[in-house]
Amino acid sequence: MLSRLLPLSSPRLAALTAVTAAATLTLGLGATAQAAPSADANASGVAAAAADSPNPFAAAELDGLRARQLTTWHAGQPLTHWVLALDEETAARDYTGGVFFLYAPATGDRGFFRNLDVLASTVKDPGHVVIADAQFIRSHPRSEVRYGDPARPDLARVVATSTIWM
């Protein structure tokens, strides 16, 4: 099954880019982002100082996911933002016969992965499971990365979760 990609001009990508740019400028990361190394945070469990953290995923309990900073380049300028990706152990598992998709079981809503400069509703490679949409994660008490057939989410395997305790 081919992954369905959204064009760069999609409204969701434009909103995500605007929010990410605003957060980057607010945090003062714009000029120093190039020198900042990628950082892993919150590998499992809730960060103690979630309210003080620039990590928008700090309040989430992560299982099979890790938060990290990702630097991309737009018009020659570095833009650093936080994303969720599969942790090393989860990414190393054997996956055959399906695709990864982001799913909120309480509502049936679907999220998107960021694959370079496009948003993808599904990806085949565990290395391409990159969630940059903090709003989706924060607006759903439980979000799951599932592997299988997106048309049958109830039968797909849950490989990673993000839980926000209300």
Side-chain angles (χ1 to χ4, degrees):
M1 176 183 272
L2 294 174
S3 295
R4 187 178 65 165
L5 299 178
L6 296 178
L8 184 60
S9 62
S10 75
R12 189 169 173 96
L13 181 60
L16 178 63
T17 302
V19 169
T20 304
T24 300
L25 293 175
T26 301
L27 297 173
L29 298 174
T32 60
Q34 182 175 346
S38 293
D40 289 342
N42 198 13
S44 65
V46 178
D52 297 331
S53 175
N55 174 359
F57 304 109
E61 182 178 313
L62 305 176
D63 182 23
L65 293 167
R66 64 185 173 108
R68 67 183 180 104
Q69 285 186 304
L70 179 69
T71 301
T72 56
W73 294 84
H74 298 278
Q77 297 298 317
L79 180 62
T80 300
H81 54 280
W82 286 89
V83 298
L84 292 178
L86 293 179
D87 63 22
E88 290 81 15
E89 180 183 329
T90 305
R93 294 181 187 147
D94 185 36
Y95 299 101
T96 56
V99 294
F100 294 94
F101 59 99
L102 183 59
Y103 184 70
T107 61
D109 291 340
R110 303 287 174 90
F112 294 92
F113 300 118
R114 182 178 181 166
N115 192 358
L116 300 175
D117 282 338
V118 294
L119 295 180
S121 60
T122 64
V123 294
K124 285 189 175 246
D125 188 315
H128 293 153
V129 174
V130 176
I131 306 165
D133 190 354
Q135 181 60 35
F136 182 86
I137 299 298
R138 284 193 306 256
S139 65
H140 296 87
R142 183 175 175 92
S143 302
E144 300 174 343
V145 175
R146 293 189 177 193
Y147 186 79
D149 181 0
R152 307 274 321 255
D154 52 322
L155 299 178
R157 181 171 87 183
V158 177
V159 298
T161 62
S162 168
T163 306
I164 298 178
W165 301 102
M166 304 274 175

